[in-house]
Amino acid sequence: MENVMELEAQFQAKIDRGEFIEPKDWMPEKYRKTLIRQISQHAHSEIIGMQPEGNWITRAPSLRRKAILLAKIQDEAGHGLYLYSACETMGISREELNHQLHTGAAKYSSIFNYPTLSWADMGAIGWLVDGAAIVNQVSLQRTSYGPYARAMVRICKEESFHQRQGYELLLSLCRGTAEQKAMAQDAMNRWWWPSLMMFGPHDAESAHSAQSMQWKIKRESNDELRQKFIDKTVAQAEFLGLTIPDPDLKWNAERGHYDFGQIDWEEFNNVIRGNGPCNKQRLNHHVKVHEENVWVREAANAYAKKNAKKSETLVA
């Protein structure tokens, strides 16, 4: 028992010094499980998040828009790969991660259970959803687990492109016809509140926040990150000429921040429990594609083994 307490003290001291925890370092089992939960949820979100955008590839209004959207979706596949790989350094297999997703043991971001009803949604997802992700992920570049932090460096660079792509798309619509401007406003109305929910419940109601802050897995709290996102987004909305659908939104000079209305946490919890507009559709699609492409994984593994044997023969 004393040895475990000593190891925990050394572990925390290393974190307090700002050093990374690496895969071969000793770590508390709870730290490992917390990271697997967080990183896998992040990875699942990147992969499931490809679905609502993939829905618009064939309907993009120009070749330029199609190429941009394809590049964005490709980036998200890459993000999932980096994050699954970071997860695997903690001793869990890709097969187990997928099993957890398919059985509901692991979650993904609630935002990806909403439908994409118009082309303007591609702009709203890029600007609001990826914008919220950037606010959260910039601080994760300094998270205490080394493989996760290093994966986030590249992911944040690419997410910045996604956010600008979405904003530029909405800017074009807002400067277009009255119908296009109305379509952009409709997308704003539907995606604003789910974007705020992305940061998770209030700090006092978050089961993991306090411990994650101590271990520096998280560097900023849910409420701090949500406030930061709102403060930076209001001016962007004003430039677009879009109205944020919150009658309680106003600048508070004393706080130096925007005050905003109450989030519908009942809706958030309902979506998390699997009762959102597209929960079953998103998960069923992932399961179907995973099962239909077993042969691809088997072929890739067979090819890798063949090359490994060839390399061994050459070395011998």
Side-chain angles (χ1 to χ4, degrees):
M1 184 67 178
E2 284 185 18
N3 187 44
V4 172
M5 292 177 66
E6 185 178 329
L7 287 170
E8 287 180 346
Q10 292 172 358
F11 172 82
Q12 188 62 52
K14 185 172 185 178
I15 288 174
D16 293 341
R17 291 194 300 269
E19 298 175 21
F20 285 136
I21 303 299
E22 298 297 345
K24 292 184 179 181
D25 293 343
W26 183 90
M27 64 187 72
E29 183 60 17
K30 189 176 179 182
Y31 177 85
R32 176 181 170 275
K33 288 183 176 179
T34 298
L35 273 170
I36 288 174
R37 176 188 58 78
Q38 180 171 328
I39 301 173
S40 67
Q41 179 176 315
H42 192 166
H44 297 327
S45 299
E46 295 285 354
I47 299 303
I48 297 292
M50 297 164 65
Q51 291 186 40
E53 293 173 314
N55 184 42
W56 282 90
I57 290 174
T58 59
R59 293 182 285 169
S62 69
L63 183 60
R64 174 176 175 269
R65 292 295 183 191
K66 188 188 296 288
I68 291 171
L69 186 57
L70 280 167
K72 182 176 189 280
I73 294 171
Q74 178 178 283
D75 284 348
E76 287 161 353
H79 298 172
L81 175 62
Y82 309 150
L83 293 164
Y84 282 132
S85 297
C87 232
E88 288 174 310
T89 66
M90 309 203 78
I92 187 169
S93 69
R94 191 79 57 91
E95 290 75 17
E96 177 60 22
L97 293 170
N98 272 305
H99 177 72
Q100 290 178 356
L101 173 63
H102 294 167
T103 59
K107 304 294 184 183
Y108 56 88
S109 179
S110 61
I111 195 77
F112 299 118
N113 290 311
Y114 290 87
T116 47
L117 304 179
S118 76
W119 174 247
D121 287 18
M122 296 302 95
I125 289 176
W127 173 41
L128 296 175
V129 175
D130 294 325
I134 291 169
V135 169
N136 185 47
Q137 293 170 8
V138 163
S139 66
L140 289 176
Q141 293 175 108
R142 297 180 294 114
T143 192
S144 60
Y145 189 57
Y148 192 21
R150 289 188 286 273
M152 292 314 306
V153 173
R154 179 165 182 174
I155 289 174
C156 284
K157 290 178 180 177
E158 293 175 350
E159 290 289 5
S160 294
F161 159 77
H162 301 166
Q163 196 268 347
R164 293 175 187 178
Q165 166 265 331
Y167 193 76
E168 188 267 344
L169 192 162
L170 285 179
L171 184 61
S172 295
L173 291 176
C174 290
R175 290 178 173 176
T177 65
E179 289 81 4
Q180 288 172 322
K181 176 76 175 290
M183 185 166 62
Q185 182 63 58
D186 174 65
M188 162 66 97
N189 294 344
R190 287 183 289 105
W191 289 96
W192 174 253
W193 291 106
S195 297
L196 298 191
M197 295 175 194
M198 284 179 65
F199 296 98
H202 289 306
D203 300 331
E205 298 163 10
S206 176
H208 306 285
S209 280
Q211 184 65 79
S212 292
M213 293 285 283
Q214 180 184 341
W215 282 332
K216 297 187 180 178
I217 294 173
K218 291 178 64 173
R219 294 282 185 158
E220 295 176 271
S221 72
N222 295 352
D223 288 328
E224 288 172 336
L225 292 167
R226 188 167 16 246
Q227 185 69 68
K228 186 179 290 188
F229 171 71
I230 292 169
D231 290 346
K232 69 179 288 188
T233 305
V234 172
Q236 296 171 356
E238 289 174 350
F239 185 81
L240 290 173
L242 296 177
T243 301
I244 292 176
D246 180 359
D248 297 323
L249 185 73
K250 62 178 183 297
W251 178 252
N252 186 321
E254 185 176 339
R255 288 200 315 121
H257 297 288
Y258 280 94
D259 292 335
F260 56 97
Q262 289 294 319
I263 294 171
D264 186 350
W265 293 114
E266 184 176 344
E267 176 186 334
F268 172 77
N269 290 322
N270 194 43
V271 174
I272 290 294
R273 285 192 294 265
N275 301 317
C278 298
N279 285 72
K280 291 181 177 62
Q281 175 186 332
R282 300 284 188 248
L283 197 53
N284 288 344
H285 178 78
H286 191 278
V287 172
K288 178 175 179 287
V289 171
H290 185 77
E291 291 175 349
E292 287 179 349
N293 288 281
V294 170
W295 70 272
V296 177
R297 296 190 294 277
E298 290 176 345
N301 287 331
Y303 182 75
K305 287 178 182 177
K306 181 180 178 181
N307 277 355
K309 285 184 179 178
K310 189 182 294 184
S311 297
E312 288 173 7
T313 303
L314 290 173
V315 171

